[in-house]
């Protein structure tokens, strides 16, 4: 029983570490427009080559599978292309909204 509990705690800690969203990431809502183009806060932007979109469980998501208007945090590259996107959990989205207000 102790071994199982230890494994669960280590797995939980590892999962929490995988979901590290950088502090400089900007927040907004996103929707897929077409191909490698998304709209963030209503502004169309291109995804960078190799861009990663991660869901709440840190799994990769295809741009076309983005739920319309979902709240995200994102990073741009040096050319202004979207490089990384994290889809926020309801709790994270609430925190983001509280910061905006």
């Amino acid at each position: 029983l102790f071994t199982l509990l230890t494994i669960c705690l280590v797995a939980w800690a590892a999962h929490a570490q995988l979901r590290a969203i950088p502090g400089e990431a900007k927040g907004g809502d996103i929707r897929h427009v077409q191909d490698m183009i998304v709209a963030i806060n209503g502004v169309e932007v291109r995804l960078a080559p190799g861009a990663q979109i991660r869901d709440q469980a840190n799994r990769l998501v295809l741009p076309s599978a983005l739920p319309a208007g979902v709240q995200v945090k994102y990073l741009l590259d040096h050319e202004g292309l979207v490089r990384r996107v994290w889809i926020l959990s309801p709790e994270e989205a609430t925190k983001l909204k509280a910061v905006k207000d």
Side-chain angles (χ1 to χ4, degrees):
L1 181 62
F2 178 74
T3 305
L4 180 61
L5 182 59
T6 304
I7 291 171
C8 289
L9 287 173
V10 170
W12 178 78
H15 174 71
Q17 291 175 355
L18 294 175
R19 183 80 172 155
I21 301 173
E24 68 270 14
K26 300 174 184 176
D29 60 271
I30 193 169
R31 69 178 175 80
H32 179 250
V33 176
Q34 67 179 26
D35 300 325
M36 294 297 284
I37 300 174
V38 294
I40 299 178
N41 297 327
V43 178
E44 291 187 9
V45 288
R46 181 172 283 286
L47 293 170
Q52 292 185 359
I53 301 171
R54 300 267 177 183
D55 68 7
Q56 297 94 332
N58 220 38
R59 296 175 296 215
L60 289 173
V61 175
L62 294 174
S64 59
L66 278 169
V70 70
Q71 294 293 306
V72 298
K73 291 281 230 164
Y74 64 95
L75 290 175
L76 303 176
D77 67 8
H78 63 281
E79 295 178 3
L81 303 176
V82 179
R83 178 171 51 103
R84 300 281 312 260
V85 177
W86 294 269
I87 298 173
L88 301 179
S89 68
E91 296 81 21
E92 292 168 328
T94 301
K95 289 178 188 175
L96 177 63
K97 185 173 170 35
V99 171
K100 285 183 179 178
D101 294 342

